[in-house]
């Protein structure tokens, strides 16, 4: 039972850490906008940068931490699967266009 409690505590602390990591910058931005130091146009730019650049970079770095050679050796098929799926999807799409002959509009 002690192992389960320790595991749950670790999950809880990781969740709190993730929430704080997202909440502190959001609260800082809210505070700057509320005090008038940041106009509305800049909040849109910052939001766009956050959504398009920093969040994917953070996700990539967090996922990369858990990858090692043994994991790659065990899941090598996952590296080959996306190009195969995209190629098959493109071929099926071309076949549908060839059979249905949609207008050029």
């Amino acid at each position: 039972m002690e192992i389960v409690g320790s595991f749950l505590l670790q999950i809880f602390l990781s969740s709190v850490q993730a929430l704080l990591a997202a909440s502190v910058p959001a609260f800082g931005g809210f505070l700057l906008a509320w005090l008038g130091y940041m106009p509305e146009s800049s909040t849109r730019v910052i939001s766009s940068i956050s959504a398009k650049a920093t969040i994917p970079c953070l996700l990539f770095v967090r996922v990369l931490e858990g990858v090692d050679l043994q994991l790659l050796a065990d899941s090598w098929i996952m590296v080959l699967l996306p190009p195969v799926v995209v190629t098959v999807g493109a071929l099926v799409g071309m076949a549908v266009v060839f059979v249905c002959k949609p207008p050029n509009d």
Side-chain angles (χ1 to χ4, degrees):
M1 190 65 166
E2 182 179 321
I3 294 173
V4 172
S6 173
F7 183 67
L8 289 175
L9 179 64
Q10 184 179 7
I11 291 174
F12 176 74
L13 291 176
S14 296
S15 300
V16 169
Q17 182 183 10
L19 284 172
L20 286 175
S23 299
V24 169
F27 179 72
F30 171 76
L31 188 63
L32 287 173
W34 184 63
L35 293 174
Y37 291 115
M38 188 167 44
E40 189 174 330
S41 61
S42 64
T43 59
R44 289 184 183 151
V45 171
I46 292 172
S47 173
S48 176
I49 290 171
S50 174
K52 293 178 182 176
T54 58
I55 292 174
C57 289
L58 179 64
L59 177 63
F60 179 76
V61 168
R62 294 293 178 174
V63 169
L64 196 61
E65 288 174 353
V67 176
D68 59 355
L69 289 177
Q70 183 61 39
L71 179 63
L72 288 176
D74 291 341
S75 59
W76 62 270
I77 191 72
M78 297 304 286
V79 175
L80 298 177
L81 198 54
V84 170
V85 169
V86 168
T87 303
V88 170
L91 291 174
V92 168
M94 287 189 285
V96 167
V97 168
F98 180 74
V99 169
C100 295
K101 297 183 190 312
N104 290 332
D105 292 351

